[in-house]
Amino acid sequence: MQRILLVEDNEMNRDMLSRRLARKGYEVVLAVDGQSGVDMALTQAPDLVLMDMSLPILDGWEATRRLKADTATRQIPVIALTAHAMSSDRDKALDAGCDDYDTKPIDLPRLLGKIQALIGSGELTSNMEATA
């Protein structure tokens, strides 16, 4: 089962998105601020990080820069999640090292497409393994 680290400080967003991802076959681990996200990426070895950009303690921009600067975590794809929808915000996320960008409120089919493009589907991977 593929593991996604969701770094989100808003409890309602965190709960809703983690439940929906779990139903799609992903294991979800949670962090509530940027520093915990960096720490958990090192200890939990996620396949992908969903990074809110407006976080306490360490914002998502800096947390992503740290993940991409560390040889232990630089290969982990990071998708920025933000309510900021300007093209300059997308550029800023990509410049910080994010592999993709998605806006809030979350459109789950769109986000799942981005996750699948980077690491595949939790359900599809399990089904393919079962038929192999």
Side-chain angles (χ1 to χ4, degrees):
M1 180 179 289
Q2 293 166 312
R3 181 177 297 154
I4 294 176
L5 170 59
L6 173 58
V7 187
E8 170 65 66
D9 63 324
N10 181 288
E11 184 178 359
M12 190 169 69
N13 291 345
R14 194 172 54 242
D15 183 58
M16 178 274 306
L17 189 52
S18 65
R19 287 173 190 255
R20 294 173 84 187
L21 290 169
R23 281 196 300 268
K24 292 295 182 183
Y26 295 102
E27 177 186 355
V28 181
V29 292
L30 304 171
V32 297
D33 63 65
Q35 185 59 59
S36 322
V38 171
D39 296 342
M40 289 192 72
L42 287 164
T43 61
Q44 297 294 315
D47 296 294
L48 181 131
V49 176
L50 294 175
M51 181 75 72
D52 181 24
M53 294 288 110
S54 300
L55 293 166
I57 302 177
L58 186 65
D59 68 28
W61 318 109
E62 183 58 29
T64 299
R65 283 187 204 95
R66 291 184 187 186
L67 290 175
K68 294 301 184 172
D70 190 323
T71 56
T73 55
R74 83 169 36 126
Q75 79 290 351
I76 302 170
V78 177
I79 298 177
L81 298 178
T82 181
H84 305 287
M86 303 294 288
S87 62
S88 60
D89 295 313
R90 183 181 193 283
D91 294 341
K92 184 177 175 184
L94 297 176
D95 288 347
C98 294
D99 298 275
D100 208 335
Y101 167 92
D102 205 36
T103 57
K104 294 178 183 178
I106 298 298
D107 175 324
L108 190 62
R110 182 182 64 213
L111 180 60
L112 287 172
K114 293 177 181 200
I115 292 170
Q116 290 168 6
L118 290 168
I119 65 168
S121 166
E123 290 176 330
L124 293 176
T125 301
S126 299
N127 292 340
M128 288 184 345
E129 289 171 356
T131 59

